[in-house]
Amino acid sequence: KAGVTQTPRYLIKTRGQQVTLSCSPISGHRSVSWYQQTPGQGLQFLFEYFSETQRNKGNFPGRFSGRQFSNSRSEMNVSTLELGDSALYLCASSQGVSGNTIYFGEGSWLTVV
Amino acid sequence: GQQLNQSPQSMFIQEGEDVSMNCTSSSIFNTWLWYKQDPGEGPVLLIALYKAGELTSNGRLTAQFGITRKDSFLNISASIPSDVGIYFCAGQESWDNYGQNFVFGPGTRLSVLP
């Protein structure tokens, strides 16, 4: 079956702009979680959505937000971009129940200039 | 945020050698996952562990969930050039109604010399 699909793969934005990233999970998976990966901080958990509800949230400012649609597809949004937001943003999907593993997409590379 | 301790940070080995890396946590985990990430790509799941003491293999890869539930190791036997990449461990403390929140190690960068 198809894996986790993220779009766009690469994008460049200017400071102060906003960006929306999209993720389509593996068919049948109801949980989508988002991670930020940077060389300095590694993989950091942003938030998780399950059945259109944010179920868990990491320690990121309110400029980072997300949502999930009824078909389990998810979007994350970053407003008022800062240079430090440049990172690889990874989406992961799972069935969302105890004992599950998470499967990552290829990520969206965001560069803020 | 919380991170796991993962060692070694990097390693250079000869093709054909065996590799061992490990992850430790100050917290008790109920799930350990091991991933490999190639440059410019997302992490790919290698092995998932769910029970203390569990030993699981996937081809040349073997991973174990430590008895204390605070550590895990990954072994790669007879390394080949395509094993090059960054290996991450990930753990989850507990499952609750607030869903899943995996924490990741900083990664072990593996280089294989021909």
Side-chain angles (χ1 to χ4, degrees):
Chain A
K1 52 185 175 183
V4 181
T5 304
Q6 289 189 247
T7 56
R9 282 278 280 147
Y10 305 93
L11 66 167
I12 300 174
K13 290 286 188 178
T14 305
R15 268 185 306 176
Q17 287 186 315
Q18 71 157 11
V19 66
T20 299
L21 309 177
S22 179
C23 173
S24 293
I26 292 170
S27 177
H29 285 189
R30 296 166 64 189
S31 167
V32 173
S33 48
W34 288 89
Y35 290 78
Q36 182 195 64
Q37 186 176 31
T38 60
Q41 297 296 316
L43 270 157
Q44 301 287 327
F45 173 76
L46 282 156
F47 30 65
E48 184 219 3
Y49 285 86
F50 181 83
S51 293
E52 302 179 65
T53 300
Q54 186 181 88
R55 193 163 60 170
N56 207 345
K57 190 177 189 303
N59 188 27
F60 277 82
R63 299 185 298 107
F64 292 81
S65 62
R67 59 177 175 169
Q68 187 180 35
F69 302 96
S70 58
N71 61 359
S72 294
R73 191 177 69 84
S74 176
E75 290 180 347
M76 69 161 282
N77 183 276
V78 187
S79 63
T80 319
L81 284 165
E82 302 176 359
L83 295 179
D85 296 333
S86 295
L88 177 64
Y89 290 88
L90 291 161
C91 166
S93 89
S94 80
Q95 291 178 345
V97 296
S98 180
N100 275 174
T101 55
I102 57 175
Y103 300 89
F104 285 93
E106 292 189 323
S108 292
W109 283 97
L110 170 64
T111 301
V112 182
V113 298
Chain B
Q2 178 189 3
Q3 272 201 326
L4 304 175
N5 297 312
Q6 190 171 348
S7 64
Q9 191 172 24
S10 63
M11 51 195 318
F12 294 82
I13 61 168
Q14 292 290 139
E15 184 176 352
E17 288 185 348
D18 296 344
V19 173
S20 183
M21 59 191 78
N22 69 78
C23 246
T24 59
S25 168
S26 57
S27 305
I28 291 175
F29 282 170
N30 71 354
T31 302
W32 283 97
L33 308 175
W34 284 92
Y35 291 87
K36 176 177 182 279
Q37 186 174 27
D38 293 326
E41 304 294 327
V44 174
L45 181 68
L46 299 173
I47 292 180
L49 302 162
Y50 302 108
K51 293 193 304 187
E54 180 181 357
L55 183 71
T56 298
S57 293
N58 177 9
R60 294 180 295 106
L61 278 60
T62 302
Q64 184 160 29
F65 194 140
I67 290 291
T68 65
R69 297 172 64 190
K70 292 184 177 182
D71 62 344
S72 176
F73 72 76
L74 174 71
N75 286 342
I76 305 173
S77 63
S79 58
I80 59 178
S82 62
D83 291 334
V84 166
I86 302 177
Y87 292 79
F88 291 98
C89 60
Q92 182 170 257
E93 288 183 301
S94 64
W95 176 266
D96 55 31
N97 289 332
Y98 298 103
Q100 49 200 358
N101 178 1
F102 283 92
V103 292
F104 281 78
T108 292
R109 185 180 296 273
L110 177 64
S111 299
V112 179
L113 306 174

